[in-house]
Amino acid sequence: AEAIRRIDTFSKPTWILTELQTSGKGRRGRTWLMPKGNFAATLVLKPRSSLRVAALRSFVASIALRAAFVVHCASSEKFKLKWPNDVLLSGGKVAGILLESIGKGPIVDSLLIGIGANLVSAPEIDELDFSYSGSPVSIKQTLGLDISPVEFLTTLANQFKLYDDQIQRSGFHAIRIEWLSHAAKLNQTVIARVGSSEVKGIFEKIDDDGSLILKTSTGLKKIAAADVYFEGN
């Protein structure tokens, strides 16, 4: 909300960090809870691109977010990426990303990338949609590490610039390969749900548009947008 209020004052990539978020939101209108000490920030970009190209920044943000965790925690194998935009720590959700676009016609003038991360605490299971999110975890509770939001933002901003420069210089291919190298449940069975419809299949890859490709009993299915559930959730 603060990013939107100030959107016309930004001419270059800008991060907004809050120490206390009172009206957090997640995908599909879900509530995002942010106790003090956790991380909540929004990056404002001016991509001037199509919605399809702008949406690929979700994968840039995912890789950068995971890389920031690894820098601070030195636990590379514990952090995985869940399509489309979650970071998992030892199988539990530790962070999420939400993209919002502003523009007229086919061009995205401004892109807002909201990021929430459980640095010190995770919400109770009865406070969220457990079936989608999985068991919530935090850095402090799981790894016993203290990371301040400001320190984390500095690392995240540097990592995001690194990968954003890469996608602007070389396109999505290398980002796609990097994302898949850290993907949770790759080559395993997942369930993609949109509303009341459900597709179950083997998670084969993401394509050049960032869509999920599942191998089902009736062939390959391309999923552009959905909530992904793991078997057993």
Side-chain angles (χ1 to χ4, degrees):
E2 180 67 11
I4 292 173
R5 186 181 72 82
R6 300 173 58 182
I7 200 76
D8 293 333
T9 69
F10 302 133
S11 60
K12 60 180 67 176
T14 304
W15 287 90
I16 298 175
L17 175 71
T18 181
E19 292 183 350
L20 182 61
Q21 183 184 55
T22 57
S23 300
K25 60 182 178 179
R27 280 168 49 81
R28 305 186 187 280
R30 297 186 179 94
T31 298
W32 178 271
L33 301 174
M34 188 268 191
K36 189 173 179 60
N38 278 359
F39 180 87
T42 293
L43 171 61
V44 181
L45 299 176
K46 302 285 187 172
R48 306 287 196 272
S49 68
S50 68
L51 182 60
R52 184 191 72 82
V53 171
L56 296 178
R57 289 307 217 297
S58 172
F59 296 94
V60 174
S62 295
I63 295 171
L65 183 53
R66 180 191 173 277
F69 280 125
V70 171
V71 167
H72 285 280
C73 303
S75 301
S76 179
E77 291 306 310
K78 294 182 179 180
F79 291 96
K80 297 293 184 181
L81 301 175
K82 180 182 178 184
W83 188 92
N85 48 19
D86 289 344
V87 180
L88 306 181
L89 167 58
S90 300
K93 182 175 178 178
V94 72
I97 299 167
L98 181 68
L99 269 65
E100 296 184 58
S101 61
I102 299 174
K104 295 180 179 179
I107 300 301
V108 174
D109 295 315
S110 298
L111 183 68
L112 281 58
I113 304 177
I115 296 177
N118 299 330
L119 296 183
V120 299
S121 61
E124 297 297 326
I125 289 175
D126 60 3
E127 294 178 321
L128 77 167
D129 179 359
F130 173 70
S131 63
Y132 167 68
S133 302
S135 179
V137 299
S138 75
I139 297 297
K140 176 68 173 177
Q141 294 164 329
T142 304
L143 299 178
L145 300 174
D146 291 303
I147 308 171
S148 79
V150 172
E151 288 177 324
F152 192 71
L153 175 60
T154 300
T155 305
L156 176 58
N158 289 334
Q159 292 295 326
F160 186 90
K161 186 178 187 305
L162 177 70
Y163 289 109
D164 197 51
D165 286 348
Q166 183 179 47
I167 197 173
Q168 293 189 65
R169 182 176 61 249
S170 307
F172 183 57
H173 179 72
I175 295 295
R176 173 180 167 273
I177 297 302
E178 175 77 6
W179 191 95
L180 283 169
S181 71
H182 305 298
K185 303 297 183 178
L186 187 65
N187 298 318
Q188 297 181 47
T189 300
V190 301
I191 300 167
R193 294 178 187 164
V194 180
S196 59
S197 64
E198 180 178 292
V199 178
K200 182 176 180 179
I202 303 296
F203 174 18
E204 283 217 334
K205 61 180 180 178
I206 57 173
D207 68 8
D208 292 337
D209 293 327
S211 295
L212 181 70
I213 305 299
L214 298 184
K215 182 179 181 181
T216 73
S217 58
T218 58
L220 295 180
K221 298 290 185 181
K222 176 175 179 174
I223 311 293
D227 287 336
V228 170
Y229 297 74
F230 299 154
E231 286 196 314
N233 273 14

